[in-house]
Amino acid sequence: MSELLEEEAPIAVIGAGLGGLSVAIGLLQKGFRVRVYEQADVFGEVGAGISISPNASKIFAAWGLGEQLAAISCTPLTGTILNGVTGEALQTQALGDALEQLFGSPYYQLLRPQLHAMLVDEVRRLDADAFRLGHRLVDISGPDDAPVLEFANGASAAASLVIAADGARSVVRARRFVDEPARFTRHIAYRGVLPTENLPARYR
Ligand SMILES: Cc1cc2nc3c(=O)[nH]c(=O)nc-3n(C[C@H](O)[C@H](O)[C@H](O)COP(=O)(O)OP(=O)(O)OC[C@H]3O[C@@H](n4cnc5c(N)ncnc54)[C@H](O)[C@@H]3O)c2cc1C
């Protein structure tokens, strides 16, 4: 760690999704200098709900964010998988106290934009200058031990280490590892959020 701390260039995290923000918090809390490069000009994470399983909620607690997470989350008592056509219950799993007792940390559900905003705030609290918005990575030049990031806006930046958190169509992956398009597996998921009172009573 000390070698990296002495490096001139910061650690670069490409992408400020849940992955990039999480790794930035972990590194900043350990004392590393971090810059998070995000292609979007402003933060405006969209999306529906997200589940935080006990292994993840343990990490939030270790970061000191356990109470903040609890305040914006709910803990469902059970989760039920239904047959999408007939509505038949295929499987029901206990999620509330039972899961917390089993794994030593709560299971939560919350709105994804609220989780994203909480992580953005925490990165800013740790380093007000951590974000570089409007920076879409287009290439990485230089050798592996002295990478230089090239952005669509004409900027470039040196990094001591590059962390790819730029999602499923990662430019980092394409430039430095494999450049293959994603394969459509024909598996599709639909998701949504609605007020509980709009559900039939048996699903509430
Ligand atoms: C329908 C669905 C439901 C899910 N439910 C859950 C759940 O309940 N619980 C759970 O734990 N996980 C869930 N997941 C998985 C989880 O959402 C993902 O694993 C996670 O969001 C991935 O985060 P990420 O930061 O790696 O990528 P992303 O969220 O894709 O973020 C990538 C970021 O990088 C930026 N970016 C991309 N390219 C560049 C570039 N060239 N330069 C700069 N910035 C760039 C993007 O703008 C974006 O901000 C779900 C996924 C889906 C699809």
Side-chain angles (χ1 to χ4, degrees), residues 83-106:
N83 181 313
V85 177
T86 64
E88 178 200 357
L90 301 174
Q91 194 204 27
T92 294
Q93 189 190 358
L95 295 176
D97 291 346
L99 211 64
E100 183 167 353
Q101 276 163 24
L102 192 61
F103 294 112
S105 196

Side-chain angles (χ1 to χ4, degrees), residues 15 17-19 38-39 50-51 112 135-137 165-167 171 191:
L18 299 177
E38 166 58 45
Q39 63 183 358
I50 190 160
S51 301
R112 177 182 280 262
H135 280 63
R136 180 166 64 83
L137 185 82
D166 51 345
V171 170
R191 60 180 180 165

Side-chain angles (χ1 to χ4, degrees), residues 38-160:
E38 166 58 45
Q39 63 183 358
D41 294 323
V42 286
F43 286 122
E45 169 90 347
V46 291
I50 190 160
S51 301
I52 301 289
S53 51
N55 55 344
S57 68
K58 271 181 197 171
I59 295 172
F60 282 90
W63 286 340
L65 296 174
E67 282 182 20
Q68 273 193 60
L69 181 66
I72 56 172
S73 303
C74 66
T75 302
L77 301 178
T78 57
T80 303
I81 297 173
L82 307 174
N83 181 313
V85 177
T86 64
E88 178 200 357
L90 301 174
Q91 194 204 27
T92 294
Q93 189 190 358
L95 295 176
D97 291 346
L99 211 64
E100 183 167 353
Q101 276 163 24
L102 192 61
F103 294 112
S105 196
Y107 172 92
Y108 290 126
Q109 287 182 339
L110 72 160
L111 284 174
R112 177 182 280 262
Q114 281 190 295
L115 177 62
H116 189 263
M118 186 184 96
L119 296 176
V120 167
D121 288 349
E122 180 62 9
V123 172
R124 285 205 168 114
R125 193 187 65 78
L126 292 164
D127 181 352
D129 194 33
F131 288 117
R132 295 290 179 275
L133 299 181
H135 280 63
R136 180 166 64 83
L137 185 82
V138 288
D139 206 356
I140 304 174
S141 58
D144 278 357
D145 59 357
V148 177
L149 309 167
E150 310 288 352
F151 297 97
N153 61 9
S156 61
S160 60

